[in-house]
Amino acid sequence: MLKLEFYKLFCKKKILIVLLVGIAAEIFLSMQSQSVMFEGFNLKVYRFYMEELQGEYTAEKQAWIEREYERLQNLISDEELYEEQYKNNEIGAEVYRKISGDIKSAKNRIRTVEYIVEKSSYYSGVDGTPEYFYDIGIKDYIENMKMDVVMLVILILLIAPVFTEDYSCGTVPMIRSSRYGTGRLFYNRLAVVLTISAGIGFLFPVLEFVTKYVKFDLGNLNADIRSLTVMENSNLDMSVMQYICLTVVTRAFFAVVFGVFVMWVAVLSHRNIVTYVVTLGAVYIPYFLYSYMNRVLQDLMMCKGLGGFDNFKEYHVMAGIPDVWFGGMVYGILAGGMIWSCGRCVGEKEKGCFEVVDEVVK
């Protein structure tokens, strides 16, 4: 019966088309870079200095970049002095051209080097082993982890029909009166929901990462996660790659919770359109109001988990419990409650259905 439920879902061309379009959309969106640095930041200059400094942070490297920053400042501040010396024939044209080129280069580099100096100061206070590397790609990837719109839409379109199609086709009375038309059917469909949710919840974040890994330079994934300034408040002792794996697992977990939520709404409403509106609204409305909520309410918002990144930025206000564990506990309880509610609903319908059958037999 379980294989039949999967077959009924994926034998439909429109379901396969939706899935393929979703995968294509996920890959396309993942190919977009969203990194916007401050005015005056130069990627080529940053890459140059990261290649010079690459490797584990040391006080010597910090001192070197600070001296470089001071040298550039002195060049820029002495620009008028060199101009005056050239006008007074104190330096020749060749020397002045060389100095002018150095000053132009200093102006091009100064803001980027200043950023590296600030990063070095941050590294000096990190309780770990931060490393210098070209981190723009991975910083952009982690900092811009957001709720996966495509994944949510795919989950709704795949899961809702599993529980609403019988009502739209008018086959519910016949199915409910069959031997396995209630409890066993529900548990098989629950298995379908959990499998699809976990599969899609794992597939889409992995697609996002692989696409960005191929398209962009993500740098040294073995570096300490605290090498990224965007993780300055983190107490996680792990590499960048381990952190990414943790976010993938977390997002897959919340995708399963969301899939159970879609199932719950579909079982209660019996209609696709109601399921679409309620489930999307329950996630997107809190998403847009997220910044206006207090800390505890933010922890309870599903959009937090579906984004992944916010789960590891800070620690929960209650008893120092990490957000990831707090979210897992709360949403695990909620998911269990929704599954129990769906099972109870099916059980009541089973009882009512067989009472009707008994009356007909009598």
Side-chain angles (χ1 to χ4, degrees):
M1 187 179 286
L2 182 59
K3 291 182 179 179
L4 177 62
E5 290 299 323
F6 277 109
Y7 176 76
K8 282 166 55 182
L9 183 63
F10 290 104
C11 71
K12 302 172 186 175
K13 290 184 178 179
K14 60 181 180 181
I15 292 295
L16 294 177
I17 291 173
V18 165
L19 188 57
L20 291 174
V21 169
I23 291 174
E26 183 71 22
I27 293 173
F28 173 77
L29 293 174
S30 299
M31 293 176 68
Q32 312 306 310
S33 177
Q34 302 174 1
S35 181
V36 178
M37 299 300 287
F38 53 83
E39 185 178 354
F41 183 86
N42 189 303
L43 289 174
K44 291 183 179 179
V45 172
Y46 184 68
R47 184 183 289 275
F48 169 78
Y49 282 105
M50 287 300 99
E51 290 175 354
E52 290 290 318
L53 294 167
Q54 65 181 343
E56 187 176 333
Y57 162 82
T58 62
E60 290 75 16
K61 290 180 180 180
Q62 181 178 359
W64 180 83
I65 195 64
E66 287 175 348
R67 288 196 299 271
E68 178 69 1
Y69 180 53
E70 184 178 0
R71 182 183 73 83
L72 297 177
Q73 284 182 310
N74 292 336
L75 273 171
I76 295 172
S77 62
D78 291 341
E79 181 177 13
E80 293 183 1
L81 175 63
Y82 289 122
E83 287 182 359
E84 192 67 28
Q85 289 178 343
Y86 176 65
K87 290 177 181 178
N88 295 333
N89 295 320
E90 295 178 14
I91 57 175
E94 188 66 28
V95 174
Y96 180 67
R97 275 196 298 270
K98 182 181 182 305
I99 293 174
S100 296
D102 291 341
I103 292 172
K104 183 178 179 181
S105 175
K107 289 179 178 179
N108 186 46
R109 296 182 178 201
I110 189 70
R111 290 288 287 121
T112 307
V113 174
E114 182 180 18
Y115 170 72
I116 299 173
V117 170
E118 293 172 355
K119 180 194 278 193
S120 299
S121 298
Y122 156 66
Y123 283 172
S124 65
V126 169
D127 183 19
T129 55
E131 297 182 32
Y132 292 101
F133 66 97
Y134 186 75
D135 56 2
I136 296 301
I138 194 66
K139 180 175 179 290
D140 171 64
Y141 168 60
I142 290 179
E143 191 173 24
N144 290 293
M145 280 184 181
K146 294 290 187 290
M147 183 168 54
D148 198 324
V149 178
V150 177
M151 182 181 73
L152 296 189
V153 173
I154 295 297
L155 282 174
I156 294 173
L157 293 177
L158 287 178
I159 293 172
V162 174
F163 294 93
T164 60
E165 195 171 64
D166 293 338
Y167 292 93
S168 62
C169 295
T171 58
V172 173
M174 180 179 66
I175 292 175
R176 296 301 183 194
S177 62
S178 65
R179 182 178 180 182
Y180 300 117
T182 50
R184 184 171 176 182
L185 179 64
F186 168 72
Y187 291 119
N188 278 279
R189 289 181 174 178
L190 173 62
V192 170
V193 169
L194 297 179
T195 304
I196 290 175
S197 300
I200 297 295
F202 179 79
L203 173 64
F204 278 65
V206 169
L207 277 176
E208 180 186 12
F209 170 72
V210 171
T211 302
K212 287 186 177 294
Y213 183 83
V214 173
K215 176 72 174 177
F216 305 106
D217 180 5
L218 298 187
N220 181 14
L221 297 180
N222 293 317
D224 191 316
I225 188 61
R226 287 163 291 192
S227 300
L228 305 177
T229 54
V230 70
M231 298 298 295
E232 60 184 345
N233 294 325
S234 172
N235 290 318
L236 296 172
D237 185 17
M238 60 178 61
S239 68
V240 175
M241 191 66 225
Q242 289 173 326
Y243 174 82
I244 292 172
C245 291
L246 189 55
T247 60
V248 169
V249 172
T250 302
R251 293 167 82 175
F253 167 76
F254 276 92
V256 170
V257 176
F258 181 74
V260 171
F261 177 59
V262 174
M263 176 193 73
W264 182 65
V265 176
V267 167
L268 296 181
S269 68
H270 306 162
R271 294 179 179 274
N272 281 338
I273 188 64
V274 175
T275 304
Y276 300 157
V277 172
V278 172
T279 52
L280 286 174
V283 175
Y284 282 110
I285 292 175
Y287 178 76
F288 289 113
L289 298 177
Y290 184 81
S291 59
Y292 300 100
M293 298 176 181
N294 64 39
R295 186 73 175 88
V296 176
L297 286 177
Q298 286 180 340
D299 285 335
L300 296 173
M301 293 300 102
M302 189 177 289
C303 56
K304 187 182 184 73
L306 290 166
F309 170 55
D310 283 336
N311 282 83
F312 311 102
K313 286 176 66 177
E314 300 174 8
Y315 281 73
H316 189 261
V317 293
M318 298 173 59
I321 303 174
D323 286 348
V324 62
W325 298 116
F326 178 78
M329 177 182 67
V330 171
Y331 282 103
I333 293 172
L334 289 176
M338 286 186 286
I339 292 172
W340 176 82
S341 175
C342 290
R344 184 181 175 88
C345 181
V346 170
E348 290 176 352
K349 289 178 180 178
E350 175 184 16
K351 181 180 177 181
C353 180
F354 283 109
E355 284 178 352
V356 172
V357 173
D358 289 341
E359 289 296 326
V360 172
V361 171
K362 290 178 182 179

